[in-house]
Amino acid sequence: MLPQLLAHLAEAHLALGERTEAVATARESIELACAGGCYYFEAQAQLVLAAALLATDGVVPRAEIESALERAEQLVESIEGRSLSPRILELRGRLAAALGDASAADRVLREALDVYRAIGATGHAERLARELGA
């Protein structure tokens, strides 16, 4: 359970604006989850890492974010952990937005919204719908 706890701690650091701590904690969670074969928790941590890397005021580390999202997607597919699928889409949309591709961002974020709704993640769906004006 330590990898899951660390993933949640990384999310808390990110919510508090502590980006450096969020990145370090997410990486620690990934390392422990990978070593322990905790695929779902590793996928969670990969998503937190991607979100923390996106929260930069400087140059977006595109390759590292894409790598984290690809790994999370592979893990989700391998364990059929579909509850993380809309978050992967949302972060892909946010990456597209950060890179200046507004049309791709809108398309992928709307796809994430549809998946949030499909799995009954009403809180996330409402949040994203408000943001998109949908």
Side-chain angles (χ1 to χ4, degrees), residues 6 15 35 52 67 75 81 122-124 130:
L6 288 171
S67 177
L75 292 163
T122 56
H124 288 296
R130 276 192 308 274

Side-chain angles (χ1 to χ4, degrees), residues 7 11 22 49 66 70 76 101 106 120:
E11 286 181 307
L49 177 61
E66 287 176 343
E70 287 171 19
V76 164
D101 190 345
D106 185 65

Side-chain angles (χ1 to χ4, degrees), residues 47-72:
L47 296 176
V48 176
L49 177 61
L53 292 170
L54 271 168
T56 182
D57 291 331
V59 176
V60 175
R62 178 181 187 167
E64 190 172 4
I65 294 167
E66 287 176 343
S67 177
L69 293 174
E70 287 171 19
R71 176 66 178 158

Side-chain angles (χ1 to χ4, degrees), residues 3-15:
Q4 183 183 31
L5 179 64
L6 288 171
H8 289 303
L9 180 59
E11 286 181 307
H13 281 304
L14 186 57

Side-chain angles (χ1 to χ4, degrees), residues 47-116:
L47 296 176
V48 176
L49 177 61
L53 292 170
L54 271 168
T56 182
D57 291 331
V59 176
V60 175
R62 178 181 187 167
E64 190 172 4
I65 294 167
E66 287 176 343
S67 177
L69 293 174
E70 287 171 19
R71 176 66 178 158
E73 195 165 44
Q74 290 169 354
L75 292 163
V76 164
E77 288 298 318
S78 74
I79 62 170
E80 298 183 12
R82 303 274 191 267
S83 65
L84 296 176
S85 295
R87 184 72 176 136
I88 293 168
L89 287 167
E90 183 177 350
L91 288 168
R92 286 192 188 284
R94 299 210 182 280
L95 176 59
L99 296 173
D101 190 345
S103 63
D106 185 65
R107 179 180 44 79
V108 176
L109 288 172
R110 288 182 187 281
E111 186 179 347
L113 175 59
D114 290 343
V115 178
Y116 278 133

